[in-house]
Amino acid sequence: MSNDENRPGNVSGPNTSVITKVKPKTKRPNLYRVLILNDDYTPMEFVVHVLEKFFNKDVEAATKIMLHVHHHGIGECGVFTYEIAETKVTQVMDFARKHQHPLQCVMEKK
């Protein structure tokens, strides 16, 4: 019986392996556009107020978006992740209903 297993530098000893940690590839979340639709009943001032309140627009930016909605029928309020866009749409719709305006706010995948 040979005692080769206990000799230093023996290659036939226990197997060794190197464990490397693989960094997972993270994917950027899908983004969604929040859009306001034009109607003939919601006052322009209310739309400006909504843009200021829920989308943190200043008066000038809010007015510009409101006029775009008025002339083109639709306007983008912002681009957000799904959860945030969904929340913004719900907040705008609830606020409009509370103030008895038919304002429509929707989201679409960018």
Side-chain angles (χ1 to χ4, degrees):
M1 191 153 139
S2 167
N3 204 5
D4 287 339
E5 291 180 20
N6 294 334
R7 286 191 186 157
N10 184 10
V11 193
S12 65
N15 291 337
T16 58
S17 60
V18 177
I19 299 174
T20 58
K21 219 177 200 182
V22 178
K23 187 175 180 182
K25 301 269 183 188
T26 54
K27 186 180 146 195
R28 295 187 69 78
N30 291 325
L31 295 177
Y32 292 80
R33 299 169 64 207
V34 176
L35 307 166
I36 286 185
L37 307 178
N38 189 40
D39 65 72
D40 294 332
Y41 303 101
T42 304
M44 293 179 176
E45 297 80 18
F46 184 79
V47 176
V48 170
H49 180 65
V50 164
L51 291 164
E52 291 173 329
K53 181 177 178 72
F54 297 106
F55 299 97
N56 298 319
K57 303 292 183 188
D58 59 35
V59 177
E60 187 178 326
T63 303
K64 187 175 178 181
I65 294 169
M66 177 274 299
L67 288 172
H68 187 272
V69 170
H70 182 69
H71 293 294
H72 297 94
I74 192 167
E76 183 178 286
C77 306
V79 178
F80 309 95
T81 59
Y82 181 83
E83 291 81 10
I84 294 172
E86 185 178 45
T87 300
K88 298 265 187 202
V89 168
T90 302
Q91 288 174 331
V92 169
M93 295 293 287
D94 289 348
F95 189 71
R97 297 303 160 263
K98 180 180 173 188
H99 291 87
Q100 299 178 343
H101 294 297
L103 183 66
Q104 292 292 307
C105 186
V106 296
M107 59 189 258
E108 72 174 22
K109 194 170 185 178
K110 185 166 180 161

